Amino acid sequence: MARRAVCAGTPGVTGIAELASAEAVAARIRDARATGTRLRIVGRGHWLDAGRPCHPTESLRLGELRGITEYEPGDFTLTARAGTTLAEIAAATAREGQWLTLDPFGSADGSIGATIATSSAGPLASAFGTPRDHLLGCEVVSGVGEVVRAGGRVVKNVAGFDLARLMTGSWGTLGALTELTVRLRAKPEIDRTLAVEVQRPSHEMAATVWRWLRASPFTPLAAELCSSALARTLDIGDGVILLLRLGGNAQLVRSAEHAVAELGDAREVDAGVWDRLRVTEPVNAAVVRLGTVPANVGQLWTVASTAAQRAGGYAHATLERGIVRCVVPVVAAEEENGRLRGIMGELQSDGSRIAERLPESLWSDVPSSVADQLSLGIRRAFDPDHLLNPGILGSFE
């Protein structure tokens, strides 16, 4: 009989022992379908409070689906089981002067499967794209217990690519990812990070930086505007700071550094600041991501960063993508829901507003973005009994 354990992060949910193959996952899902058991897919177990509340009966634990199964440095492709950590992939590719240019928020101990399933992206997405742009192929077990392969193992093989993209960002509601093939990049000769004190009034700052980024002949690897509270947390300054990551050969990076002087005083900071940015969020925090067309990001930054700071939190913006991410601490108090509802009301955008983490009681105020008939039909095709991650997208129940 399978060993049972309590599923961390999901109170009252029991978990089956770790599964170590796609066939074992398929058998477990077929068994769950026969008994009507709803499953929460768990990889490394981080960030189980992200997304809408999930109400399963048992957990489907994939942490043992781990290891790099194929790596072709000459093709710049790597295939790994879904539970393989980003840190493991980084270590393996660094030996070949390559890297996987995905830097989702959270620990590098997070898995490649969870990164693709949630389509989590960080500042590097400006230069290299989102997880959808990195995924070449995948193996997935559907909600009826079928093992399906999509895409290929080399860049030129795009057969079934749309199915692989469909799995990206589906939060496990269409199937459990068990293996993934991703595209790699060559590491730059020089990788340097600057902290720039932008010399502009606060209401013009983000718009000025965005215009500079658009006009500059130098494309940074990443450019993230940090509110003063976040800058202090990262120990990079007391005011609003632009973190700029420059990569390339020595001449290119040197020329880019001279161009940055147009924005303000710049100084080099250690590259570890990007890792600190990824893990700086408090455990108890509400996180809301706002999006707009990049040309309007200045106005969005002014409104969102002011609201976050007034609530005791911070904001940071990926300007080239028109994204402002707000992090607000959650205080255990009776009036907390009312306070957070007020903050959510302030955090509006002419584009998108996506809640990443919220107290459970507030999710009912957030409309689902996948309640349309097309999305419902796709879910029925892959998981007709709604067994996988029930409720996590809020529209299938």
Side-chain angles (χ1 to χ4, degrees):
M1 181 175 291
R3 175 178 60 85
R4 296 187 180 259
V6 175
C7 175
T10 311
V13 177
T14 58
I16 300 298
E18 305 275 3
L19 302 172
S21 71
E23 291 72 23
V25 174
R28 177 70 193 106
I29 290 177
R30 288 193 297 269
D31 178 66
R33 194 178 185 209
T35 58
T37 302
R38 295 187 166 195
L39 301 172
R40 173 69 191 267
I41 301 172
V42 179
R44 303 294 298 162
H46 302 303
W47 277 41
L48 291 179
D49 60 341
R52 292 175 183 271
C54 187
H55 301 293
T57 308
E58 294 180 349
S59 62
L60 182 66
R61 303 183 68 84
L62 307 181
E64 288 300 311
L65 276 174
R66 194 166 175 177
I68 296 170
T69 58
E70 188 172 338
Y71 179 21
E72 295 291 343
D75 290 333
F76 286 84
T77 62
L78 178 145
T79 301
R81 294 188 176 95
T84 308
T85 68
L86 297 176
E88 290 174 288
I89 293 174
T93 56
R95 291 191 288 269
E96 299 291 337
Q98 298 177 354
W99 60 330
L100 175 62
T101 50
L102 288 175
D103 58 343
F105 294 101
S107 167
D109 191 45
S111 69
I112 182 62
T115 300
I116 298 296
T118 59
S119 193
S120 297
L124 287 175
S126 294
F128 299 104
T130 64
R132 245 181 211 131
D133 302 303
H134 290 72
L135 183 66
L136 297 174
C138 64
E139 177 186 77
V140 62
V141 181
S142 73
V144 296
E146 294 179 344
V147 180
V148 180
R149 279 198 170 274
R153 290 177 183 260
V154 295
V155 174
K156 62 185 178 183
N157 184 356
V158 295
F161 195 67
D162 284 348
L163 182 56
R165 289 190 171 196
L166 186 64
M167 295 298 162
T168 308
S170 64
W171 285 75
T173 58
L174 304 181
L177 288 166
T178 52
E179 189 176 73
L180 306 100
T181 299
V182 291
R183 179 197 310 265
L184 304 173
R185 302 309 203 281
K187 280 197 155 190
E189 177 185 324
I190 295 176
D191 185 346
R192 185 165 296 160
T193 297
L194 303 179
V196 186
E197 297 182 20
V198 183
Q199 297 171 353
R200 293 290 187 280
S202 59
H203 65 282
E204 298 177 3
M205 192 175 306
T208 298
V209 174
W210 176 78
R211 286 193 293 267
W212 181 87
L213 290 168
R214 189 181 183 197
S216 174
F218 308 104
T219 302
L221 303 180
E224 199 77 2
L225 193 63
C226 303
S227 68
S228 55
L230 176 57
R232 288 190 292 273
T233 299
L234 297 175
D235 195 25
I236 55 174
D238 291 321
V240 177
I241 297 290
L242 172 67
L243 276 177
L244 203 59
R245 188 170 184 176
L246 306 175
N249 60 39
Q251 182 179 354
L252 178 67
V253 171
R254 189 162 50 247
S255 298
E257 288 177 324
H258 288 311
V260 171
E262 298 175 26
L263 292 173
D265 296 330
R267 56 187 172 81
E268 185 174 357
V269 295
D270 69 282
V273 68
W274 297 103
D275 292 327
R276 298 198 299 276
L277 173 63
R278 290 172 61 182
V279 300
T280 194
E281 290 170 26
V283 174
N284 294 317
V287 183
V288 178
R289 185 170 76 248
L290 307 174
T292 186
V293 294
N296 294 340
V297 73
Q299 180 180 357
L300 179 61
W301 166 260
T302 300
V303 173
S305 62
T306 301
Q309 180 172 312
R310 188 165 54 244
Y314 63 80
H316 56 103
T318 309
L319 300 175
E320 291 173 288
R321 299 183 65 212
I323 291 175
V324 180
R325 205 161 169 271
C326 302
V327 179
V328 177
V330 175
V331 181
E334 292 182 5
E335 68 274 10
E336 183 64 6
N337 281 352
R339 185 183 79 95
L340 288 174
R341 281 193 175 92
I343 295 168
M344 288 285 288
E346 292 183 71
L347 296 178
Q348 298 292 342
S349 168
D350 57 1
S352 62
R353 186 184 71 170
I354 299 174
E356 295 183 13
R357 293 165 61 194
L358 285 178
E360 183 170 350
S361 57
L362 290 189
W363 279 104
S364 60
D365 298 340
V366 181
S368 172
S369 59
V370 289
D372 58 283
Q373 289 303 309
L374 177 60
S375 297
L376 295 172
I378 292 172
R379 175 67 184 269
R380 283 193 294 270
F382 284 91
D383 183 15
D385 300 310
H386 301 175
L387 298 180
L388 304 178
N389 284 358
I392 203 165
L393 292 180
S395 63
F396 300 123
E397 307 310 318

